[in-house]
Amino acid sequence: MKRGLVLLTALLLTAGGCVFDRITLAPAADALIVHGVLNPGTTEQVVLLERSLSGRTPGVRLPFDSLDPIVSDGGTPVRNARVIVRRVSASGTTEDSAVLREDISWRSDGKGAGVYRFRNLDVPSSSQPVPHLAVRPGARYTLEVVSDTHRVTASTTIPSAPGTVAPIAPRQFFRDTDSLFLGWAPVSGAARYEIRVDSPVGPFTTFVDSLEYLAAGTLTRADRGSPLGRERIFWPGLRHTISVSAVDQHYFDYYRSGSDDLTARGLLSTVTGGFGVFGSMARVLERLVDVRTPQTGWPEGVWSRVGSSPASLPALFELWP
């Protein structure tokens, strides 16, 4: 998803020099922006609805809140819409469906305007008043949104990968000398494969059309730099997650084009009656690395825990420049 951590990703886009027709929304036009990505590997499935900011002044941006992603980011949420996700057969008949519920309608803290949710379950959950619908690899899903002023439709077919992967013990990874080879089997329905490295300053993401990727420890961000050079992806002393996900054509087109949620200007949008994305992804593999770098000399400071409490504190803490 596009906002925040969960919803949001800062992507390194690899359009490969291709040129696409741009979508340009007329100034001051009121468009409905949709952002939803189905994932069979997660329980919570979310569709964000907001209005474009073309020709209008954005709202006040607050510290980002993942429970209130649209409002805290200065957007204008679409309230009280009817949002339906359906799982359909190859012939187009509906097999199952869910009418999504807006978070603000059941939360007691007033958060979640424009955030419509359902749970990826075969049976309802008693823990939250949220509808359920099983999200299955290889299945086709449609989206219908009806608000006071707009009707939006879209569809996606989920790549045929399980979406969940077995945990693997982390390996030591020296960023200046090591590389991690990733290889996987082809996935039916995958338009491309998304490589993602989680980082304290936001994820690094790129797309490949092959079945392998070599994650070098010297990897840098092409879109960020400093007087000392381009920003490194891997941070010594931290554990990073490196993942590969199969993505559908809608997800790939939307993110490689650099589409803009707030202005509704972008290159590729597969939503009928609005702008944005309704796509899907499924996790293929995941690796954990504990990043290290050779140390010379002595640390700036060393602290040892006194006593045994609290147990959450490390017994030894070293500060290195």
Side-chain angles (χ1 to χ4, degrees):
M1 303 192 177
K2 210 138 173 224
R3 290 181 179 276
L5 123 357
V6 245
L7 309 172
L8 26 292
T9 47
L11 297 178
L12 174 67
L13 302 167
T14 57
C18 299
V19 177
F20 306 99
D21 292 333
R22 285 187 174 272
I23 296 171
T24 302
L25 189 67
D30 182 20
L32 193 150
I33 310 299
V34 176
H35 196 280
V37 176
L38 301 185
N39 185 344
T42 62
T43 300
E44 302 296 329
Q45 309 287 320
V46 173
V47 175
L48 303 181
L49 298 181
E50 59 185 307
R51 301 191 185 280
S52 67
L53 296 181
S54 293
R56 296 188 294 112
T57 302
V60 176
R61 290 199 173 192
L62 306 171
F64 182 79
D65 185 349
S66 62
L67 299 177
D68 205 18
I70 298 176
V71 173
S72 67
D73 203 36
T76 304
V78 174
R79 294 290 322 280
N80 303 316
R82 180 174 173 83
V83 182
I84 306 173
V85 174
R86 298 180 176 91
R87 187 175 66 247
V88 298
S89 65
S91 63
T93 58
T94 299
E95 297 177 340
D96 200 357
S97 64
V99 179
L100 278 58
R101 188 168 182 182
E102 190 177 8
D103 280 6
I104 197 173
S105 69
W106 58 271
R107 294 186 61 90
S108 60
D109 55 11
K111 297 181 179 181
V115 180
Y116 296 80
R117 185 184 306 269
F118 72 97
R119 307 201 83 193
N120 175 19
L121 298 171
D122 284 309
V123 296
S125 169
S126 59
S127 61
Q128 288 184 341
V130 177
H132 70 283
L133 173 67
V135 177
R136 298 172 179 169
R140 182 170 179 264
Y141 292 80
T142 64
L143 172 72
E144 180 182 16
V145 177
V146 180
S147 70
D148 293 340
T149 56
H150 295 84
R151 180 179 182 271
V152 169
T153 59
S155 66
T156 182
T157 299
I158 299 177
S160 298
T164 56
V165 295
I168 296 179
R171 56 163 284 184
Q172 186 169 266
F173 186 78
F174 285 91
R175 74 169 187 174
D176 294 330
T177 58
D178 289 350
S179 296
L180 181 65
F181 175 80
L182 306 172
W184 58 92
V187 175
S188 175
R192 292 293 190 280
Y193 298 94
E194 180 187 68
I195 313 297
R196 176 184 172 113
V197 181
D198 289 328
S199 167
V201 292
F204 163 85
T205 312
T206 190
F207 294 106
V208 299
D209 58 3
S210 64
L211 300 177
E212 59 185 37
Y213 184 79
L214 187 65
T218 55
L219 196 62
T220 60
R221 296 179 186 271
D223 59 336
R224 296 185 189 178
S226 72
L228 300 178
R230 297 200 310 194
E231 184 178 276
R232 300 286 290 269
I233 301 300
F234 293 103
W235 287 37
L238 299 180
R239 177 170 294 175
H240 292 256
T241 300
I242 307 173
S243 61
V244 179
S245 298
V247 302
D248 79 327
Q249 190 70 48
H250 297 170
Y251 183 104
F252 172 60
D253 285 344
Y254 182 74
Y255 279 115
R256 68 167 170 160
S257 67
S259 302
D260 191 321
D261 282 337
L262 298 182
T263 65
R265 289 185 173 89
L267 300 176
L268 298 172
S269 176
T270 55
V271 175
T272 302
F275 295 89
V277 62
F278 181 65
S280 56
M281 66 187 305
R283 184 65 53 87
V284 175
L285 64 81
E286 183 176 292
R287 297 289 185 269
L288 299 176
V289 293
D290 289 330
V291 182
R292 301 285 185 266
T293 189
Q295 298 287 356
T296 59
W298 297 93
E300 290 292 312
V302 178
W303 291 263
S304 297
R305 186 179 64 196
V306 177
S308 59
S309 180
S312 60
L313 290 178
L316 181 69
F317 179 81
E318 298 180 342
L319 179 64
W320 294 81

